[in-house]
Amino acid sequence: DVKVTQSSRYLVKRTGEKVFLECVQDMDHENMFWYRQDPGLGLRLIYFSYDVKMKEKGDIPEGYSVSREKKERFSLILESASTNQTSMYLCASSTGTGVYEQYFGPGTRLTVT
Amino acid sequence: DQQVKQNSPSLSVQEGRISILNCDYTNSMFDYFLWYKKYPAEGPTFLISISSIKDKNEDGRFTVFLNKSAKHLSLHIVPSQPGDSAVYFCAAFFQGAQKLVFGQGTRLTINP
């Protein structure tokens, strides 16, 4: 079974803090993705990566950056957290040939106060 | 610009009956359509998909129908079971963009 794990299930941070969300997959997938889920808006893509050290902006990259130093790990960074970044963050991965079918982690509920 | 829309935020169905979840899209270039299911405090899990060259795909109790002329797809669950209560996301993919586009989700509740 594909396993995608995220470092924290719940996180509370203060406005202005730098926040790191970590994601690890164990199936040697080439592609990794970060989404945020908000009520009424569905899942929106923040960033994705097709390979180590490679990244592409998604639909809502503002206020976020990413890092992929190893194939199995994809980090999402909030440089200076703001209250409008309070959300559920979901990481996903997929194989190079099956980009359309993604496997998701359990999510991190981030609250910025 | 919402390319994939699920216009019903919620749906309530009696156990044993058919559940029909709907999804509309605007981009005729999409190659695949997928349905994901999400329980609270868990990540979405893949349920079923359909290629844009087909009009139906069936997997057990789940059937997805695609109407390209109407840019509409639907997920049928027959018979509905209490464990089907979850949020269902419709998603679309096209090779050009190499990414999934998700709808807003529909919360399905199956009543005993």
Side-chain angles (χ1 to χ4, degrees), chain A residues 23-67:
Chain A
C23 175
V24 178
Q25 51 93 4
D26 66 358
M27 284 301 293
D28 202 35
H29 282 172
E30 290 82 3
N31 312 307
M32 297 188 75
F33 307 82
W34 274 107
Y35 295 88
R36 62 178 282 177
Q37 181 196 355
D38 300 289
L41 297 176
L43 277 70
R44 293 180 293 166
L45 183 63
I46 304 171
Y47 267 97
F48 58 106
S49 169
Y50 294 135
D51 202 351
V52 175
K53 297 193 186 294
M54 180 261 167
K55 61 185 179 185
E56 293 279 347
K57 291 181 180 178
D59 300 315
I60 50 164
E62 297 78 18
Y64 303 95
S65 62
V66 290
S67 171

Side-chain angles (χ1 to χ4, degrees), chain B:
Chain B
D1 178 25
Q2 190 78 26
Q3 295 189 69
V4 178
K5 293 183 183 179
Q6 294 175 257
N7 292 316
S8 298
S10 63
L11 177 67
S12 187
V13 174
Q14 198 154 7
E15 183 179 356
R17 298 285 188 113
I18 183 171
S19 295
I20 300 176
L21 296 100
N22 293 303
C23 180
D24 296 299
Y25 62 95
T26 57
N27 193 332
S28 58
M29 299 298 290
F30 286 129
D31 296 303
Y32 280 94
F33 301 90
L34 301 86
W35 286 94
Y36 278 82
K37 177 179 178 179
K38 186 181 185 300
Y39 292 119
E42 293 183 16
T45 54
F46 170 73
L47 194 57
I48 191 169
S49 66
I50 187 168
S51 164
S52 61
I53 62 173
K54 295 188 175 182
D55 54 19
K56 178 182 174 181
N57 188 27
E58 194 171 349
D59 183 3
R61 296 186 297 115
F62 303 92
T63 303
V64 57
F65 296 93
L66 176 62
N67 182 336
K68 287 187 287 293
S69 61
K71 293 192 177 69
H72 177 85
L73 67 154
S74 60
L75 174 68
H76 293 212
I77 307 173
V78 182
S80 301
Q81 298 174 356
D84 296 329
S85 294
V87 177
Y88 289 78
F89 290 99
C90 168
F93 169 82
F94 63 101
Q95 293 282 354
Q98 293 284 306
K99 64 180 185 180
L100 284 174
V101 180
F102 283 87
Q104 304 96 312
T106 296
R107 181 176 301 280
L108 175 65
T109 303
I110 306 302
N111 302 308

Side-chain angles (χ1 to χ4, degrees), chain A residues 63-111:
Chain A
Y64 303 95
S65 62
V66 290
S67 171
R68 193 166 181 201
E69 296 296 318
K70 293 186 178 180
K71 190 176 184 180
E72 67 271 19
R73 188 179 298 270
F74 192 34
S75 302
L76 180 69
I77 303 152
L78 286 69
E79 295 290 342
S80 177
S82 63
T83 54
N84 63 13
Q85 292 179 311
T86 291
S87 186
M88 169 69 82
Y89 289 87
L90 292 158
C91 176
S93 72
S94 70
T95 65
T97 55
V99 174
Y100 61 91
E101 188 176 328
Q102 297 176 11
Y103 299 85
F104 284 83
T108 296
R109 170 71 65 185
L110 173 67
T111 302

